[in-house]
Amino acid sequence: MNILLAGGAGYIGSHTAVELLKAGHGVVIVDNYGNSSPEVIHRLEKLTGKNIPAYCADVRDEKAVSEILATHPIDCVIHFAGLKAVGESVRKPLEYYDNNINTTLTLLKCMKKAGVRNIVFSSSATVYGEENPIPYVETMKKGSCSNPYGWTKSMMEQILEDAAVADPELSVVLLRYFNPIGAHESGLIGEDPLGGPNNLMPYVAQVAVGRRDHLTIFGNDYPTPDGTCRRDYIHVVDLAVGHVKAVEFAASRKGTEVFNLGTGNPYSVLDIVAAFERNSGVSIRYEFGPRRAGDLPEFWANADKARRVLGWEASRDLDAMCRDTWNWQRNNPEGYRAPRG
Ligand code: NAD
Ligand code: UD1
């Protein structure tokens, strides 16, 4: 199949491009490089030995997206193109609603015009909200979100679901990611947060490489085994393989289906620090700070449905997640801004 990756130059999209090509699919990328770099495309071509058609465009631009769909025979779209910084979404809600909702609407309109029937969407475990018991199961009702970013995910799920009800030809797969970390084992691609990391693993990696002085752990008084929050961290390459399965599944049926992509195993912030130290040989300076607004004490996935229906499960352990993150970070201390020779 030929897959259009909207936001495909980003962290998860770039790793998915590699796994799709490896599985024999073709990929086309559209990205405005708002949170990524054209250097990603060069790295992908080097890594896969394939020529990757890539367009610099805003996915809200109907004309640009229609032209891409008219140029390439696309079987499925994967929609990664979103703004994702939770704190920023609280400060700039309109920007988040505009970008995230309108990219979705534009993609759906252009797909309909071009006769593209399948879409896979990057959703988040955040849609379960704080009301649901853990582990989260796909059959649970969605909860209330603590920030505009989360609400955009919840709304986009609803928009896609409604579109599939109205159009019996449409196939929608909603993927609820847990906490993706790690990098491709080549060290050529990885997570490169522009303007400072908000998430735990890139922060730890930047402390290790000397770009940050120390990590602040947000709270050590949670009702968890060591007092720090627990999350379901998943290797980004496992997540990428999950997308290959999701695309193939999307093409085999109609309607909407939701899948958790997680491992089902929670780790605490202190577990992550210890695992990173063990796998990098670098010690991570940290101090405890106050809780971060909106953080839940712990959550993880029930990963049974993806195993049962997609035949997918995560296979890379926490050591691999830390080893690959460190391999990427130490080879690219400034991310994509300082290309390797
Ligand atoms: P990312 O920022 O690295 O990738 C998103 C890409 O989309 C970037 O390259 C960005 O430039 C592009 N983009 C954004 N808006 C665009 C627009 N209007 N037009 C064209 N390109 C646009 O983020 P990621 O970590 O790869 O996440 C991918 C998707 O998965 C996002 O939708 C994110 O919300 C979702 N998600 C991520 C996580 C995570 O922890 N990384 C967790 C849950 C869900
Ligand atoms: C966050 C978002 C979530 C989003 C996901 C991916 C919040 C409340 N949730 O998830 O909606 O889908 O990112 O973008 O922001 N931590 C520290 N110090 C740090 C950074 C993080 O102690 O400098 C802790 C956090 O308190 C948390 C854990 O590490 O307990 C993981 O944090 P993070 O990587 O930001 O992911 P989530 O908060 O789970």
Side-chain angles (χ1 to χ4, degrees):
M1 281 188 279
N2 232 359
I3 326 292
L4 177 65
L5 308 185
Y11 173 47
I12 300 170
S14 56
H15 289 81
T16 301
V18 174
E19 297 310 312
L20 284 168
L21 289 167
K22 218 164 106 184
H25 299 296
V27 303
V28 176
I29 288 177
V30 55
D31 202 300
N32 63 3
Y33 303 119
N35 195 39
S36 54
S37 157
E39 170 65 14
V40 173
I41 310 299
H42 302 136
R43 300 284 182 100
L44 286 175
E45 291 185 332
K46 185 168 167 187
L47 181 51
T48 61
K50 301 243 164 72
N51 179 35
I52 299 173
Y55 296 85
C56 177
D58 195 302
V59 174
R60 289 168 294 181
D61 180 344
E62 210 172 314
K63 186 163 168 279
V65 174
S66 287
E67 273 171 23
I68 296 167
L69 292 179
T71 308
H72 300 273
I74 296 294
D75 302 290
C76 181
V77 171
I78 309 184
H79 181 13
F80 299 104
L83 299 178
K84 62 162 187 175
V86 171
E88 186 182 57
S89 80
V90 175
R91 293 191 302 278
K92 301 178 179 173
L94 301 187
E95 216 172 283
Y96 271 67
Y97 286 113
D98 179 0
N99 193 80
N100 292 359
I101 306 288
N102 284 322
T103 47
T104 308
L105 295 177
T106 303
L107 281 173
L108 284 170
K109 272 189 236 164
C110 296
M111 284 171 61
K112 185 151 186 113
K113 216 162 51 180
V116 180
R117 304 273 151 75
N118 308 308
I119 181 163
V120 173
F121 174 63
S122 298
S123 191
S124 166
T126 199
V127 301
Y128 288 106
E130 52 189 59
E131 295 88 348
N132 280 305
I134 41 180
Y136 293 149
V137 188
E138 292 88 341
T139 46
M140 289 171 172
K141 264 178 105 76
K142 287 191 289 183
S144 47
C145 300
S146 59
N147 56 76
Y149 163 78
W151 281 120
T152 67
K153 289 292 172 198
S154 194
M155 288 175 189
M156 289 185 284
E157 283 199 357
Q158 189 64 50
I159 289 169
L160 286 157
E161 224 178 305
D162 290 345
V165 169
D167 179 356
E169 287 303 306
L170 196 62
S171 172
V172 170
V173 176
L174 308 174
L175 299 179
R176 293 180 181 159
Y177 308 157
F178 281 68
N179 287 59
I181 59 172
H184 192 265
E185 64 178 10
S186 64
L188 280 171
I189 56 171
E191 186 167 16
D192 180 22
L194 300 179
N198 300 295
N199 299 114
L200 177 64
M201 190 53 123
Y203 208 102
V204 168
Q206 291 195 7
V207 171
V209 85
R211 282 174 67 181
R212 315 262 155 199
D213 179 64
H214 68 278
L215 169 74
T216 300
I217 296 181
F218 300 139
N220 62 343
D221 58 350
Y222 283 101
T224 59
D226 65 17
T228 66
C229 295
R230 294 201 298 168
R231 295 287 182 272
D232 184 339
Y233 296 94
I234 174 170
H235 196 297
V236 67
V237 175
D238 279 331
L239 192 75
V241 174
H243 287 73
V244 178
K245 299 288 187 188
V247 161
E248 291 165 354
F249 175 77
S252 72
R253 29 74 71 204
K254 304 291 169 205
T256 301
E257 206 70 56
V258 188
F259 296 98
N260 287 340
L261 293 185
T263 67
N265 305 313
Y267 288 104
S268 73
V269 179
L270 287 171
D271 290 335
I272 296 293
V273 171
F276 195 92
E277 289 182 328
R278 190 168 67 236
N279 284 281
S280 66
V282 179
S283 90
I284 303 298
R285 281 190 58 200
Y286 67 83
E287 61 183 29
F288 293 114
R291 292 180 176 194
R292 180 172 67 177
D295 274 348
L296 297 178
E298 53 185 4
F299 60 83
W300 61 92
N302 173 319
D304 291 348
K305 186 176 175 189
R307 191 179 305 121
R308 202 177 62 244
V309 180
L310 299 179
W312 169 90
E313 70 184 316
S315 64
R316 292 161 180 82
D317 64 12
L318 184 59
D319 286 333
M321 299 181 213
C322 293
R323 213 168 40 239
D324 292 336
T325 300
W326 179 231
N327 185 40
W328 152 254
Q329 188 71 74
R330 89 190 141 92
N331 282 305
N332 304 271
E334 298 298 326
Y336 290 110
R337 281 168 292 288
R340 284 201 304 183

